[in-house]
């Protein structure tokens, strides 16, 4: 049975909404995050010899959290990032990807 990548698409939509409102380096970081999510979702760009999926999910999640922490003064962008992280959690659960400390 094929798992849905819908949570990844939803997360990407939130990241893109945030990037529309950001500029400069922040916008670049958000677009890079969107690219990371695209690699997770589509699977096309995932290299066979790359890190395991749970590591990539974790890397993207850490970037989302890190960026969200930088937006103390812009709650709208912060909310978009937190929503994207929720979608990533949903994806993790659907895919059966372990979180920290789970084996």
């Amino acid at each position: 049975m094929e798992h849905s990548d819908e949570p990844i698409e939803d997360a990407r939509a939130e990241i893109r909404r945030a990037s529309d409102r950001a500029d400069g380096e922040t916008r670049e970081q958000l677009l890079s995050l969107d690219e990371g999510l695209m690699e997770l979702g589509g699977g096309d760009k995932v290299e066979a010899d790359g890190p395991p999926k749970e590591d990539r999910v974790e890397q993207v999640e850490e970037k989302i959290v890190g960026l969200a922490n930088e937006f103390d003064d812009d709650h709208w962008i912060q909310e978009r990032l937190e929503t994207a992280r929720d979608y990533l959690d949903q994806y993790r659960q659907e895919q059966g990807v372990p979180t920290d400390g789970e084996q």
Side-chain angles (χ1 to χ4, degrees):
M1 181 177 129
E2 194 172 308
H3 291 287
S4 166
D5 287 332
E6 196 172 312
I8 292 292
E9 288 307 313
D10 291 340
R12 289 186 64 204
E14 291 296 327
I15 298 291
R16 286 194 299 269
R17 281 188 198 111
S19 75
D20 286 345
R21 212 163 125 158
D23 51 24
E25 192 179 320
T26 304
R27 185 178 164 83
E28 292 295 316
Q29 288 177 304
L30 288 165
L31 292 174
S32 147
L33 202 49
D34 178 47
E35 209 169 278
L37 284 166
M38 180 178 65
E39 288 176 18
L40 272 179
D44 302 340
K45 291 180 69 177
V46 173
E47 292 93 26
D49 60 348
K53 187 168 243 176
E54 56 266 25
D55 289 354
R56 289 197 308 273
V57 170
E58 204 173 300
Q59 286 167 355
V60 172
E61 193 169 22
E62 282 172 11
K63 283 184 187 174
I64 291 174
V65 171
L67 272 176
N69 289 338
E70 290 178 28
F71 283 104
D72 294 342
D73 56 343
D74 191 329
H75 293 294
W76 188 87
I77 289 181
Q78 204 170 38
E79 283 175 23
R80 302 289 70 73
L81 289 168
E82 286 169 4
T83 302
R85 182 172 178 234
D86 290 344
Y87 283 127
L88 194 57
D89 277 343
Q90 181 184 337
Y91 172 78
R92 184 198 306 262
Q93 288 166 6
E94 286 179 8
Q95 297 284 321
V97 175
T99 54
D100 273 350
E102 287 182 18
Q103 289 300 328

